[in-house]
Amino acid sequence: MTAPLPVAVVTGASGGMGSEIVRDLVRTHRVYALGRRADVLTALAEETGAAPRRVDVTDRDALTAFADELDRVDVLVHVAAVGGAVSVEDATEADWLASLTTNVVGPALLTRALLPLLRPAEATVVFIGSGAGTRPVPGSAVYTASKHALRAVADVLRIDEEKHRVRVVTIAPGQTDTAMLRAGIPDAAYTAERYIRPTSVAEAVRYVVDLPADAQVTDIALRPRQEIARL
């Protein structure tokens, strides 16, 4: 009798990075693809066989209802995020709340909801961070603060869940060729070849997921081959 596939949950699956991570993980996992855009999720499900779920990570009730569907989780990948460059001077309370709720609170609450399933599976939890999570980014206080906070969540979770052998890693890509990045750069200045491909982020997730059971990688800084600031 064939053993059931391990289960993976990927948030932000209707975005460029998340969809590539789903495409890779379906080779070996039963994947639940969570996102906000129903049309993109439907197309992704038809292409890959992933199970689509229209779930906004800022909706606590939806997160709880989704968690109640499952009986096992082996891999959890937090990709959902909002970006944008907003300074302290320009940021409104709504800017702060939107960024922190999506980029920090949502992942934390979904992880909490799934902990009873992650622990017995000795699962792997991946937070997709950012280079902004380890360094200041001029003019981008809101996004930078959220990614610093997300890394702190991952670091403490790793310590707290060590006794359950849950692996926790932050993968921090530099500028990656996604719609989020394109939205902040004028078309005339955008050169896709300079940036990390979303498939490369998916390969980094695969590396973490496939590690032997006796080891974990805690942080991966995934940088463009040529640093954008020096071009």
Side-chain angles (χ1 to χ4, degrees):
M1 183 175 180
T2 304
L5 290 175
V7 174
V9 174
V10 180
T11 72
S14 53
M17 228 181 268
S19 60
E20 292 300 337
I21 292 169
V22 169
R23 288 186 179 96
D24 181 85
L25 288 178
V26 292
R27 297 187 291 115
T28 52
H29 290 68
R30 167 67 168 162
V31 179
Y32 288 87
L34 279 57
R36 293 186 294 183
R37 295 182 55 189
D39 57 335
V40 176
L41 291 175
T42 298
L44 184 64
E46 291 173 352
E47 173 194 344
T48 65
R53 294 293 185 274
R54 190 170 182 271
V55 176
D56 188 324
V57 297
T58 66
D59 186 336
R60 285 178 290 179
D61 292 339
L63 296 179
T64 300
F66 168 71
D68 288 343
E69 287 186 44
L70 308 180
D71 57 13
R72 180 185 178 96
V73 178
D74 299 270
V75 175
L76 172 59
V77 188
H78 294 289
V79 189
V82 293
V86 189
S87 67
V88 170
E89 179 181 11
D90 295 331
T92 65
E93 181 179 359
D95 292 326
W96 284 106
L97 291 175
S99 183
L100 292 170
T101 301
T102 301
N103 296 357
V104 185
V105 178
L109 292 180
L110 179 57
T111 302
R112 182 182 69 174
L114 293 177
L115 274 177
L117 306 179
L118 295 166
R119 287 167 171 165
E122 297 185 358
T124 297
V125 180
V126 180
F127 292 88
I128 300 298
S130 168
T134 57
R135 67 189 72 181
V137 178
S140 187
V142 175
Y143 179 73
T144 300
S146 74
K147 288 302 184 179
H148 270 73
L150 185 67
R151 185 181 180 191
V153 170
D155 287 347
V156 176
L157 180 70
R158 184 182 308 112
I159 296 168
D160 291 346
E161 294 303 314
E162 184 178 85
K163 60 183 174 291
H164 299 292
R165 294 180 60 83
V166 174
R167 296 195 292 200
V168 181
V169 59
T170 296
I171 298 177
Q175 290 175 305
T176 304
D177 182 24
T178 62
M180 182 189 295
L181 181 65
R182 286 178 180 271
I185 299 176
D187 290 344
Y190 196 94
T191 305
E193 293 75 17
R194 291 179 177 176
Y195 308 119
I196 297 168
R197 297 188 303 271
T199 52
S200 297
V201 180
E203 289 178 14
V205 173
R206 167 62 64 180
Y207 168 73
V208 169
V209 169
D210 285 350
L211 281 171
D214 64 326
Q216 67 176 332
V217 174
T218 60
D219 297 273
I220 295 177
L222 195 65
R223 306 299 306 166
R225 192 65 177 265
Q226 290 182 288
E227 288 290 347
I228 308 302
R230 293 198 285 270
L231 289 175

